[in-house]
Amino acid sequence: MNKISHGVAVATLSASMAMAQDYPLTIENCGHTVTYDAAPESVVSIGQATSEALYLLGLGDKVAGTAVWFTDVLPEFAEVNAKVERLADNTPSFEAVVNKRPGLVASQYEWYVGPKGSVGTREQFHDLSVPTYIWPADCVGKDNSVGVDGTRKELISTEVIYQGLIELSQIFGVPEAGKKAVADLKAREFAAIERAKALDLTDTSALFWFSSAKMDADPYVAGAKGAPGFIMKQLGIENVVDSSEEWPTVGWETLAKANPTYVVLADLQRRKFPADAIDVKKDFLATDPVARHMDAVKEGRVLVLDAHAMDATIRTISGLELLADAMEKAVSK
């Protein structure tokens, strides 16, 4: 049975890498110190990011259930994902998770498993001897107690994505899979950044629109320090939203006044909010009395990007690649 302990961090990432083949394995994770006596036999993944990370590491047969999906699973994982029970498209119940008797609960966000977890607190799971793991991108350099979706204290780095892959591979006793996954993603990231540098973009700005709770409400847009902020920085693009909140709401009057060079729309398959649908977003931009006057809308500089690439996930790299593609096409016109 897994042993749980809390308190001050007792192991850095580099130290945990050194002991990855041995148990007990202790990892400091989002303010909790979790000790594993052995590799978990099963896991419930609450969040598309952790689910696809587990699939990438070849651990699909360990996944007993998933929840919280924004888009379709990556094509290369469709076969394995089809064999995994989806507990909920959005937030699963605590009972649905524990009924799977998981050896680990991995969550993409503290919002679901954390101090005020909508699924349950870490303590609730730990009291049942079920260890938890939070995707580090949601807590490293971030304060989840401020703002609806948390506030970034510093610009996110892809290193927190790689940290998540390495730590999950250690927990499950497959460290070589983690190293290979990270090496492959780093190579793609480097190539995309080199392409971006070659574009030498100047005086270019962008707005990333994720969704809107109501069509007459202020939209959820990308803050300056999350994954879209990282992507834009690598491409030499200025974010017209300077908030440190992860996904602040900003009025269309303010956004229109900023007049971004490009508007980037999140492509979501979920239908939690009205503006999740890409056609709804496009129709709004074309007809809204304020938004339709932005130069990007009038001149057709509206791009579509995988919504999950707008978060700190393994898809962030493909987001960088896809936006670099779009910028190359735009510059060549």
Side-chain angles (χ1 to χ4, degrees):
M1 184 172 289
N2 293 322
K3 178 174 61 179
I4 316 299
S5 59
H6 306 284
V8 180
V10 298
T12 62
L13 177 61
S14 59
S16 64
M17 286 178 68
M19 64 166 65
Q21 297 287 357
D22 301 319
Y23 295 92
L25 170 68
T26 301
I27 292 178
E28 195 281 326
N29 174 241
C30 294
H32 287 247
T33 302
V34 186
T35 298
Y36 306 86
D37 286 336
E41 290 297 321
S42 65
V43 55
V44 167
S45 173
I46 305 172
Q48 188 169 349
T50 46
S51 298
E52 292 188 339
L54 290 163
Y55 297 159
L56 180 62
L57 295 170
L59 297 167
D61 62 333
K62 301 287 187 182
V63 184
T66 69
V68 185
W69 286 80
F70 299 93
T71 64
D72 292 336
V73 70
L74 286 169
E76 58 266 37
F77 303 139
E79 185 175 351
V80 65
N81 185 65
K83 299 175 183 177
V84 178
E85 181 181 356
R86 183 169 296 193
L87 304 181
D89 289 334
N90 294 303
T91 309
S93 67
F94 180 77
E95 291 75 16
V97 175
V98 298
N99 283 345
K100 300 303 293 185
R101 301 184 184 278
L104 174 71
V105 171
S107 180
Q108 181 174 347
Y109 303 111
E110 281 195 311
W111 171 263
Y112 295 107
V113 180
K116 299 179 181 179
S118 59
V119 177
T121 66
R122 300 188 82 162
E123 288 77 13
Q124 283 179 291
F125 286 109
H126 294 179
D127 286 345
L128 297 176
S129 296
V130 178
T132 56
Y133 180 81
I134 309 298
W135 189 241
D138 194 50
C139 59
V140 175
K142 184 183 177 188
D143 184 351
N144 284 318
S145 68
V146 180
V148 176
D149 295 297
T151 298
R152 292 280 173 190
K153 294 182 286 187
E154 58 191 40
L155 179 66
I156 200 167
S157 163
T158 48
E159 288 305 313
V160 294
I161 300 170
Y162 303 144
Q163 177 183 343
L165 288 169
I166 290 296
E167 289 180 340
L168 282 172
S169 71
Q170 293 167 352
I171 290 168
F172 283 90
V174 290
E176 291 305 314
K179 293 174 184 176
K180 182 181 185 305
V182 168
D184 290 346
L185 288 173
K186 282 188 173 182
R188 288 173 53 195
E189 178 185 5
F190 176 80
I193 290 174
E194 289 302 300
R195 287 170 53 203
K197 288 180 180 178
L199 294 175
D200 193 26
L201 296 176
T202 57
D203 299 322
T204 303
S205 61
L207 160 68
F208 279 58
W209 179 17
F210 193 81
S211 190
S212 300
K214 297 179 180 179
M215 295 314 298
D216 59 354
D218 294 341
Y220 292 110
V221 295
K225 299 178 180 178
F230 168 82
I231 291 172
M232 282 185 269
K233 182 176 181 181
Q234 304 311 312
L235 288 168
I237 298 172
E238 179 187 357
N239 188 350
V240 297
V241 177
D242 61 5
S243 172
S244 293
E245 285 191 44
E246 187 86 353
W247 293 102
T249 54
V250 181
W252 281 110
E253 292 82 1
T254 300
L255 297 171
K257 185 177 181 180
N259 200 26
T261 311
Y262 294 93
V263 175
V264 184
L265 309 179
D267 187 8
L268 288 141
Q269 269 71 59
R270 75 168 195 188
R271 292 297 179 263
K272 183 178 180 180
F273 297 134
D276 284 349
I278 197 71
D279 289 343
V280 171
K281 290 190 185 78
K282 287 182 176 180
D283 183 65
F284 177 89
L285 290 176
T287 60
D288 181 74
V290 175
R292 69 183 184 185
H293 291 296
M294 290 191 291
D295 288 343
V297 177
K298 292 190 294 183
E299 297 172 15
R301 295 194 299 271
V302 177
L303 309 175
V304 176
L305 186 64
D306 173 10
H308 214 44
M310 292 189 185
D311 216 335
T313 71
I314 61 173
R315 296 195 187 203
T316 299
I317 310 306
S318 62
L320 181 59
E321 294 169 329
L322 290 170
L323 207 56
D325 288 342
M327 293 296 107
E328 285 178 337
K329 292 177 182 177
V331 170
S332 64
K333 286 183 179 179

